[in-house]
Amino acid sequence: MSNAALETFHLPVAFDLSALFAFAVAGALAGMQRRYDIVGVFFLGLISSLGGTLLRDGVFIQQGPPAVFLDPRYSYAVGLGVLFGAGLGAKLHRFSNVIAVIDALGLAAYTVYGAHRALSAGFAPPAALLVGVLNGAGGSIIRDVLTREEPLVFKPGQFYLLTAVFGGALFLIAVRSFGAPVLLAAWYSIGLTFVIRILAIIFDWRTRSLMEQ
């Protein structure tokens, strides 16, 4: 493995908490749309925000307790996100653009960070890419499975999971194939992934069913 892959890369705590907050808001809204009570709304917010991280640290990279269990600020961010989503309800559309931007940043950052963590733990690049994508989008997948719906990320729609695959692959290729410094590769990958996701929202770039003629 390249020495660059062993360099330390951490997300800024403020950024991490903001992304979890946005994911929790999205999960709370999903619960409200299904007419769940406060328990169901909170649980969907929790899963949407922490599901990807728990998959990364609890299932794939088992190196002690997940970081989200060691720092109470993560729990506070999730709780505030759920309360914010539940409290504003129908008025939340006023903040939809802000939430979409934070969600795009979270998807990009967690995908790259998850891929980096897996690569540093000794995972092969394809496996590291899988961990990264699940870190970025795993919360929404688990949320849909628990509510017995087909995961939205698997259906034709705006570039989302595909964006995460691009970001994780770009990072891994830069580090493993070209020996780029981890910090440089990470931030460039996060930036490009974020831009692509925002452009997909603005221009409504979508995937299509393979069965379409």
Side-chain angles (χ1 to χ4, degrees):
M1 179 182 297
S2 168
N3 290 334
L6 299 177
E7 295 176 23
T8 300
F9 166 62
H10 293 291
L11 296 175
V13 173
F15 174 88
D16 206 3
L17 296 177
S18 298
L20 289 179
F21 177 87
F23 287 161
V25 171
L29 287 178
M32 294 175 65
Q33 290 171 351
R34 293 170 174 81
R35 300 187 179 278
Y36 288 176
D37 62 11
I38 185 60
V39 175
V41 169
F42 179 81
F43 189 74
L44 280 193
L46 179 71
I47 288 298
S48 296
S49 57
L50 299 182
T53 299
L54 294 178
L55 282 175
R56 183 195 71 207
D57 293 343
V59 176
F60 295 103
I61 308 174
Q62 300 178 12
Q63 297 178 345
V68 295
F69 290 163
L70 303 178
D71 189 336
R73 289 177 294 182
Y74 290 98
S75 299
Y76 299 153
V78 172
L80 287 174
V82 171
L83 291 176
F84 184 77
L88 291 182
K91 298 179 181 179
L92 200 63
H93 69 277
R94 299 177 183 175
F95 302 88
S96 60
N97 290 336
V98 175
I99 293 174
V101 169
I102 297 177
D103 179 85
L105 277 172
L107 176 69
Y110 286 139
T111 298
V112 172
Y113 183 62
H116 165 65
R117 286 285 307 274
L119 195 64
S120 297
F123 284 49
L129 177 60
L130 173 64
V131 173
V133 170
L134 288 177
N135 192 176
S140 62
I141 295 174
I142 297 175
R143 180 195 67 207
D144 291 341
V145 169
L146 289 177
T147 55
R148 291 194 283 186
E149 294 187 10
E150 289 182 272
L152 291 176
V153 296
F154 294 162
K155 297 180 179 180
Q158 277 187 357
F159 290 179
Y160 193 82
L161 197 66
L162 199 60
T163 306
V165 172
F166 167 81
L170 180 64
F171 170 75
L172 292 170
I173 291 172
V175 170
R176 289 302 299 267
S177 298
F178 295 98
V182 163
L183 286 177
L184 182 64
W187 288 117
Y188 267 105
S189 299
I190 289 172
L192 287 174
T193 305
F194 169 71
V195 169
I196 291 175
R197 174 58 185 152
I198 293 299
L199 290 176
I201 294 173
I202 294 174
F203 296 105
D204 198 25
W205 292 343
R206 292 177 171 270
T207 59
R208 295 184 179 182
S209 170
L210 293 180
M211 291 297 292
E212 289 185 1
Q213 299 297 326

